[in-house]
Amino acid sequence: MELPTRHSIRASISVGPGLPAAAALPGAGPRMRKVSVLLFLAWVCFLFYAGITLFTSGFLLTRLELTNYSSCQEPPGPVFLPWGSQGKPGACWMPSRFSRVVLTLIDALRFDFAQPQHSHMPGEPPASLPFLGKLGSLQRLLETRPHHTRLYRSKVDPPTTTMQRLKALTTGSLPTFIDAGSNFASHAILEDNLIKQLNSAGRRIVFMGDDTWKDLFPGAFSKAFFFSSFNVKDLHTVDSGILEHLYPTMDSGEWDVLIAHFLGVDHCGHKHGPHHPEMAKKLSQMDQVIQGLVEHLENDTLLVVAGDHGMTMNGDHGGDSELEVSAALFLYSPTALFPGAPPEVSRFLHTYAAATQDLEVKELHRLQNLFSKASADYQRLLQSPPGTEAALQTVITELQQFLRGARAMCIESWARFSLVRMAGGAALLAATCFLCLLASQWAASPAFPFHSLLLTPVVWAIVGASLYAGLLTMTRLQVELVVLEAAAAVGSLLPFLWKAWGSWRSKRPLAALLPIPKPVLLLLLIRLATFFSDSFVVAEARATPFLLGSFILLLVVQLHWEGQLLAPKLLTVPRLGSSTPTGPPRHSGAYALRLGIGLLLCTRLAGLFHRCPEETPACHSSPWLSPLASMVGGPAKNLWYGACVGALVALLVAVRLWLRHYGNLKSPEPPVLFVRWGLPLMVLGTAAYWALVSGADEAPPRLRALVAGASVVLPRAVVGLAAAGLMLLLWKPVTVLVKAGAGTPRTRTILTPFSGPPTSQADLDYVVPQIYRHMQEEFRGRLERTRSQGPLTVAACQLGSVYSAAVVTVLTLLAFPLLLLHVERISLAFLLLFLQSFLLLHLLAAGMPITTPGPFTVPWQAVSAWALMATQTFYSTGHQPVFPAIHWHAAFVGFPEGHGSSTWLPALLVGANTFASHLLFAVGCPLLLLWPFLCESQRPRKRRQPPGSEAEARVWPEEEEEEEEPLMEMRLRDAPHHFNAALLQLGLKYLFVLGVQILACALAASILRRHLMVWKVFAPKFIFEAIGFIVSSVGLLLGIALVMRVDGAVSSWFKKLVLAQQR
């Protein structure tokens, strides 16, 4: 019979006399403990969610949209004359100066794109940048027809996302910060706007271009040509579609207002950046468009060329940097231009103040008086003879002061915070962190009430929510879901904290409330303190690797000081009259030192994949963050492509070698077959997709349809394979190879010390390690396999790494689809991520003692380092906690033509790209508990049998000493209660570390809410941390649930094995 591999176990299993033919079914106790652990962690996550939601509702407020509409019968001011009373056709408040308007909106047209090239600093040569001087038609018109043209630098209000800018351009209002999140879902504009007014005046509006207008103004155009707008890799489809209809529509004359929204410049910035030669081509194309429009203009037509926002040096936008808020505005008409009339703002302020009571009364009266004075001066100016330049300048100055004051007052009102909600949300977050700290200590206690974890919070949550709802019903106030959720959270939390406070106050000192080691606590406090400084938040990408490196050095020094630079120690509690000594150390201090050096090297290499924040202009982002399609040189692109594919293959080979090393590739079960064949197919699909997208622009015309189809099929196939692998693994998480054969007639009872069958799940859990140990003994050759026919012999594989193998496989299945959402060269960063995690787990395992039969505890330094590495990986994959740095291209992986009306799918893809590191590290968090057992020394151990012991029956009398192989992860099943408690404790510690981070961000945002950088630094940081916490908490629950699913499958497998021997 073929011998198994190193981690295979061949054993003879039989039953002793008096053992019935059937064992009792497992009880519900341990199973309920597993469910209780998951539900308790879910309740803690709910508390954090409630605190985040409550704080957000008080911090990110939105303004009220008025549904009032202006009409020609209601002039905007009380004393303006003349308004539309001349009886001219088409006149409303003022007579029409032009009968037609062509609005050419060039998305992301930054001001310096249109600025004349000669306007450089004196004494300096003009910069030879690709985007300078390409709009030569504007410069020629400004020079040859100065009275017919105007070029302005338009200062736009953030957030500089397209939908918010379109709302501001058409309504004249200010966009709010929280509206940036709705860029995926453009809802119809309900307040007064230019499109509505033009329709009311009977004007024919023709639109062509960005389909965002379709959602903002449904049914508002007499004729429209919409094109998908969100595929940032497509530079030409929208622009070519506009040019196909633009000039024929102008020549037809069936329009009064023509709007053309070009997207090529914006998409070129996202794909290549403004300094790429492709940007020069796109701007030259826009210059030809402007020349054609000028040639087709009639005398009564006004041409407006405008950018809705700018772009950063990387081609992104969404923030409030100088380059993002600086847009071009160009006006031209065959007839001379003239100044316009004062805008209608005063009535809006009056109506908004009456509807919301939010505007400051004194400032509102001051502005109204200023507007009335300007109106009166303007009326006198109209009635006075010409030549009053001073009076005209006075009116202009007064109106400018009015507009600036109105803008400042609206910003102040729409940025008003609800301090009560912010304080309540922060207090709820702090209380939940305190709960995690206390419960993580109590979880290791044998008397920890697993069964009562569910009832008390649910009952008190219902009580709290009912009291709040009843109070509002009695006072006839509207019930808000956010506050109702917070009331339920507080109600469920208060009894627990009250009981905890009473217990700690009466029995233990205050110092016991901080079980975190002082060095770890110091590093955590340093990290949390950085959230209160905008400079440190901006530089977090550099500060995080420094903290992680300091943590690694501290860990190595601590291990050396404590004398633990060796393989994980096995501290066995005497059981059944036997003991197991620790054995000699396997590694010297140089082993941990090598691990620490490797970790520092990986951390340094991961720092090469960095994106510079816009606040540090001297910094240069890594060129490796750009896609291969943006590279110009062919040989360099091929070399990089080979390196990226090599990283994929290396990741696959490393995972398969690790699984093979622990005997996890022997079984013919479907999950193992998928690991053998499915993972290589995923690598092949990913490599083929990268080859297509990196050379799509270079594909021959006859093959472009095939390339486009493959670009849709390949990513979806990879995701489908990953989903199939996950389903197979959840279906059969224990892929044990079982073989039957003849064994020795000598048998012995292994179900000790029971005299009958296991009558409960606890008995079965105690029996499982003994079965496993017996299988190991058989493999070592202590039972003769050459004897005559005997009981059934069973060969099993992978039980020593049954939990960690499932977690590593799931992480690999998640990594490939997540990697597909990133640019190609991030595969090198993912390879470093896996290697860095492997080294950190080995280093942490070197100083974590294993206690048998328990309790099992993961130290704080392991949890803190794991969370810190998740943050470091977030930055090493090219992300920043700001909206302009979001990788929007991820929304089109597998969907190059867009998503139609769907908004959740692109949001899910972009979110998976942004928070991939949070998800992977959270799902892999149980490895912190499993890895020390996995790294248990493989050297045989001597186990002495005490003289006269009758704990086992029919043991050979001549064997007084036996060699024992380490049980590895099967040792966790010696005490199922401690195993569940360790998982609960690990989850609470990880949630605590993440929770104090979101708490620090909330406190920083509230304390510094009037800081100059609040909306640029602190608010985005809070939003990213909040979403990252939600993703991490969900991943943590999934990871722990996976381990429990494997544990349940192990119990079922051994139960079937025991029952089969009794028949």
Side-chain angles (χ1 to χ4, degrees):
M1 183 175 294
E2 181 184 357
L3 289 177
T5 59
R6 176 183 179 183
H7 294 277
S8 302
I9 297 92
R10 189 178 303 272
S12 174
I13 299 179
S14 65
V15 293
L19 194 61
L25 293 177
R31 186 177 304 172
M32 284 304 298
R33 280 200 293 269
K34 293 186 178 70
V35 175
S36 300
V37 167
L38 282 177
L39 291 182
F40 185 79
L41 290 175
W43 170 60
V44 174
C45 293
F46 165 75
L47 297 179
F48 277 113
Y49 299 161
I52 292 173
T53 305
L54 184 62
F55 181 87
T56 303
S57 66
F59 181 61
L60 300 178
L61 298 181
T62 57
R63 63 180 176 86
L64 175 67
E65 291 189 357
L66 301 178
T67 57
N68 307 63
Y69 292 97
S70 301
S71 64
C72 294
Q73 291 74 28
E74 300 178 12
V79 295
F80 265 75
L81 285 176
W83 285 112
S85 55
Q86 289 96 342
K88 294 184 180 181
C92 186
W93 295 339
M94 296 291 291
S96 299
R97 177 63 180 84
F98 300 97
S99 60
R100 290 181 176 180
V101 174
V102 177
L103 173 59
T104 305
L105 197 62
I106 301 178
D107 209 294
L109 183 63
R110 210 167 66 189
F111 177 73
D112 55 348
F113 292 178
Q115 189 177 14
Q117 191 174 4
H118 59 75
S119 58
H120 57 275
M121 295 297 295
E124 296 182 1
S128 58
L129 297 175
F131 53 80
L132 291 181
K134 297 302 181 289
L135 299 180
S137 59
L138 302 185
Q139 183 173 350
R140 289 192 296 270
L141 289 173
L142 288 169
E143 294 175 351
T144 59
R145 311 195 71 180
H147 298 290
H148 298 256
T149 56
R150 294 289 189 276
L151 177 62
Y152 300 101
R153 183 194 298 268
S154 176
K155 290 287 188 178
V156 305
D157 291 297
T160 51
T161 49
T162 296
M163 192 199 73
Q164 282 66 43
R165 293 309 312 147
L166 293 181
K167 284 186 175 182
L169 287 172
T170 55
T171 64
S173 62
L174 294 175
T176 53
F177 182 85
I178 200 172
D179 280 343
S182 58
N183 204 44
F184 285 106
S186 306
H187 302 290
I189 295 179
L190 301 179
E191 55 188 337
D192 202 0
N193 58 82
L194 290 176
I195 306 300
K196 170 70 176 178
Q197 291 296 331
L198 290 171
N199 276 319
S200 301
R203 301 303 179 100
R204 297 166 299 175
I205 308 175
V206 177
F207 176 83
M208 52 190 70
D210 186 350
D211 61 351
T212 304
W213 293 72
K214 179 181 180 180
D215 298 323
L216 293 176
F217 308 102
F221 305 109
S222 59
K223 185 183 294 185
F225 305 95
F226 297 111
F227 303 95
S228 178
S229 62
F230 213 63
N231 188 358
V232 294
K233 294 185 178 181
D234 185 359
L235 309 185
H236 307 293
T237 299
V238 176
D239 294 356
S240 300
I242 294 175
L243 293 177
E244 182 181 352
H245 302 283
L246 179 60
Y247 300 121
T249 302
M250 291 188 67
D251 296 336
S252 68
E254 298 178 355
W255 58 276
D256 297 308
V257 178
L258 177 59
I259 304 175
H261 189 165
F262 291 89
L263 292 176
V265 173
D266 178 70
H267 288 186
C268 183
H270 285 296
K271 184 176 182 180
H272 302 292
H275 296 85
H276 196 273
E278 195 67 31
M279 180 61 76
K281 298 179 183 179
K282 183 53 65 175
L283 290 175
S284 299
Q285 182 189 25
M286 293 297 100
D287 185 65
Q288 296 176 3
V289 171
I290 295 174
Q291 291 182 17
L293 291 174
V294 170
E295 295 173 358
H296 286 75
L297 285 183
E298 299 180 359
N299 291 335
D300 60 345
T301 305
L302 175 66
L303 172 64
V304 180
V305 179
D308 55 344
H309 52 75
M311 67 172 65
T312 65
M313 300 299 289
N314 297 323
D316 302 317
H317 58 88
D320 61 350
S321 66
E322 179 64 24
L323 295 178
E324 292 172 277
V325 302
S326 178
L329 175 61
F330 177 79
L331 304 177
Y332 171 78
S333 176
T335 59
L337 299 174
F338 68 99
E344 181 217 4
V345 179
S346 176
R347 187 167 61 181
F348 171 80
L349 294 179
H350 178 76
T351 307
Y352 190 88
T356 63
Q357 305 293 329
D358 279 348
L359 302 180
E360 187 178 351
V361 177
K362 292 183 179 180
E363 182 65 13
L364 181 63
H365 286 319
R366 188 187 72 81
L367 291 177
Q368 289 177 340
N369 294 333
L370 181 60
F371 181 76
S372 299
K373 183 177 183 300
S375 301
D377 293 342
Y378 183 67
Q379 179 183 1
R380 289 192 296 269
L381 181 62
L382 293 177
Q383 298 173 353
S384 63
T388 55
E389 293 291 337
L392 177 61
Q393 188 61 39
T394 301
V395 172
I396 293 176
T397 302
E398 291 173 346
L399 291 175
Q400 288 178 344
Q401 292 177 356
F402 168 74
L403 290 176
R404 293 191 183 103
R407 181 179 181 274
M409 184 174 62
C410 289
I411 291 178
E412 177 71 19
S413 171
W414 295 336
R416 183 170 296 176
F417 307 100
S418 175
L419 297 181
V420 175
R421 293 194 177 191
M422 292 171 63
L428 185 54
L429 289 174
T432 309
C433 291
F434 184 63
L435 167 66
C436 292
L437 198 62
L438 294 183
S440 65
Q441 293 179 271
W442 295 347
S445 173
F448 190 72
F450 279 95
H451 297 283
S452 61
L453 291 180
L454 309 178
L455 184 60
T456 303
V458 171
V459 171
W460 282 98
I462 296 175
V463 171
S466 302
L467 290 177
Y468 170 75
L471 180 63
L472 292 185
T473 303
M474 294 175 58
T475 56
R476 296 183 179 181
L477 296 177
Q478 184 179 2
V479 177
E480 295 188 45
L481 183 60
V482 173
V483 185
L484 183 64
E485 178 188 23
V490 172
S492 64
L493 185 61
L494 281 179
F496 192 95
L497 293 179
W498 179 260
K499 182 179 180 180
W501 173 251
S503 175
W504 281 102
R505 186 178 57 179
S506 60
K507 296 182 180 180
R508 299 194 180 185
L510 186 61
L513 294 177
L514 296 176
I516 308 177
K518 292 183 180 179
V520 179
L521 181 61
L522 178 62
L523 285 175
L524 280 178
L525 292 177
I526 291 175
R527 170 162 169 74
L528 300 181
T530 60
F531 293 157
F532 291 83
S533 170
D534 60 320
S535 300
F536 275 98
V537 172
V538 170
E540 189 181 14
R542 290 178 293 168
T544 301
F546 174 78
L547 286 176
L548 183 58
S550 303
F551 198 97
I552 294 170
L553 291 177
L554 175 64
L555 186 59
V556 173
V557 172
Q558 181 181 1
L559 292 178
H560 176 72
W561 185 262
E562 297 175 356
Q564 294 180 352
L565 292 182
L566 39 84
K569 295 182 178 180
L570 181 63
L571 307 179
T572 305
V573 177
R575 186 173 187 178
L576 300 177
S578 65
S579 62
T580 304
T582 59
R586 186 181 180 188
H587 303 294
S588 63
Y591 170 72
L593 186 60
R594 288 195 299 268
L595 291 177
I597 294 175
L599 261 174
L600 293 176
L601 180 61
C602 289
T603 304
R604 180 62 178 172
L605 292 176
L608 298 177
F609 298 85
H610 68 280
R611 177 187 292 271
C612 295
E614 59 191 27
E615 293 83 2
T616 55
C619 177
H620 299 283
S621 297
S622 172
W624 302 343
L625 298 178
S626 58
L628 293 180
S630 63
M631 298 186 65
V632 180
K637 180 188 294 187
N638 295 336
L639 184 62
W640 273 111
Y641 175 77
C644 296
V645 175
L648 286 179
V649 175
L651 181 60
L652 172 64
V653 171
V655 172
R656 291 193 59 174
L657 288 178
W658 184 89
L659 292 173
R660 179 177 297 175
H661 173 74
Y662 288 102
N664 293 282
L665 294 180
K666 294 291 184 181
S667 172
E669 296 289 346
V672 176
L673 295 178
F674 183 87
V675 172
R676 290 178 180 174
W677 304 106
L679 288 181
L681 288 177
M682 293 173 64
V683 171
L684 182 62
T686 303
Y689 174 74
W690 285 350
L692 292 177
V693 297
S694 62
D697 297 337
E698 305 170 3
R702 64 179 181 274
L703 297 179
R704 289 183 179 176
L706 179 62
V707 170
S711 300
V712 175
V713 174
L714 288 176
R716 299 184 183 183
V718 172
V719 174
L721 285 173
L726 291 174
M727 296 301 295
L728 289 175
L729 190 63
L730 292 177
W731 174 43
K732 284 186 174 292
V734 180
T735 55
V736 180
L737 174 63
V738 179
K739 293 182 180 179
T744 175
R746 298 185 185 182
T747 61
R748 65 177 181 177
T749 304
I750 60 171
L751 303 179
T752 58
F754 304 105
S755 59
T759 58
S760 67
Q761 181 68 25
D763 294 347
L764 184 60
D765 288 331
Y766 179 69
V767 167
V768 167
Q770 298 185 59
I771 297 176
Y772 184 69
R773 184 179 290 109
H774 187 78
M775 299 168 94
Q776 289 178 315
E777 294 170 352
E778 178 70 12
F779 170 62
R780 296 295 301 174
R782 287 184 293 267
L783 299 179
E784 300 178 3
R785 295 185 293 269
T786 58
R787 301 292 182 91
S788 58
Q789 182 70 25
L792 181 65
T793 300
V794 176
C797 298
Q798 95 161 37
L799 288 177
S801 59
V802 61
Y803 301 109
S804 56
V807 176
V808 170
T809 304
V810 167
L811 290 176
T812 307
L813 293 174
L814 291 175
F816 282 109
L818 293 175
L819 182 57
L820 201 64
L821 298 176
H822 291 76
V823 296
E824 300 89 345
R825 286 180 279 191
I826 293 296
S827 59
L828 301 174
F830 266 69
L831 182 61
L832 284 174
L833 153 69
F834 272 77
L835 178 60
Q836 196 175 5
S837 305
F838 176 81
L839 294 175
L840 180 63
L841 287 171
H842 273 278
L843 181 61
L844 295 173
M848 291 172 60
I850 301 174
T851 57
T852 302
F856 312 117
T857 301
V858 178
W860 281 99
Q861 53 264 36
V863 180
S864 303
W866 196 254
L868 195 61
M869 189 176 290
T871 302
Q872 184 245 344
T873 307
F874 171 80
Y875 289 105
S876 298
T877 49
H879 295 97
Q880 285 281 340
V882 290
F883 291 107
I886 293 178
H887 300 173
W888 302 108
H889 64 83
F892 298 97
V893 176
F895 300 89
E897 301 300 326
H899 303 268
S901 59
S902 174
T903 57
W904 65 268
L905 185 55
L908 179 63
L909 293 176
V910 174
N913 170 280
T914 305
F915 300 100
S917 62
H918 297 74
L919 179 62
L920 290 176
F921 277 91
V923 173
C925 190
L927 291 176
L928 296 174
L929 173 64
L930 304 173
W931 211 264
F933 295 90
L934 188 69
C935 296
E936 185 179 342
S937 175
Q938 299 300 312
R939 296 184 62 178
R941 302 182 185 276
K942 299 273 187 172
R943 187 181 62 189
R944 294 182 177 272
Q945 298 295 333
S949 174
E950 297 180 0
E952 294 190 2
R954 291 198 299 270
V955 182
W956 294 280
E958 62 273 12
E959 258 193 42
E960 296 190 3
E961 289 189 359
E962 298 181 0
E963 290 184 347
E964 177 192 2
E965 275 202 354
L967 293 179
M968 298 164 63
E969 292 177 2
M970 280 294 100
R971 200 175 296 280
L972 290 165
R973 298 194 54 85
D974 277 335
H977 175 87
H978 290 305
F979 188 18
N980 294 328
L983 289 173
L984 175 61
Q985 188 182 57
L986 174 62
L988 291 173
K989 288 182 177 180
Y990 197 68
L991 289 176
F992 171 80
V993 174
L994 299 178
V996 293
Q997 291 182 186
I998 187 64
L999 174 61
C1001 289
L1003 292 177
S1006 58
I1007 295 173
L1008 304 173
R1009 62 186 180 276
R1010 297 301 179 189
H1011 193 275
L1012 180 64
M1013 306 294 287
V1014 60
W1015 300 117
K1016 187 177 184 62
V1017 175
F1018 297 110
K1021 177 62 175 175
F1022 168 76
I1023 293 176
F1024 275 77
E1025 283 290 339
I1027 300 176
F1029 176 86
I1030 295 174
V1031 173
S1032 299
S1033 60
V1034 173
L1036 177 67
L1037 292 176
L1038 293 178
I1040 294 179
L1042 173 65
V1043 174
M1044 292 184 172
R1045 170 72 181 97
V1046 175
D1047 188 59
V1050 170
S1051 297
S1052 300
W1053 187 84
F1054 274 108
K1055 186 185 111 176
K1056 293 178 182 178
L1057 188 62
V1058 172
L1059 294 178
Q1061 295 300 303
Q1062 300 172 17
R1063 297 190 178 96

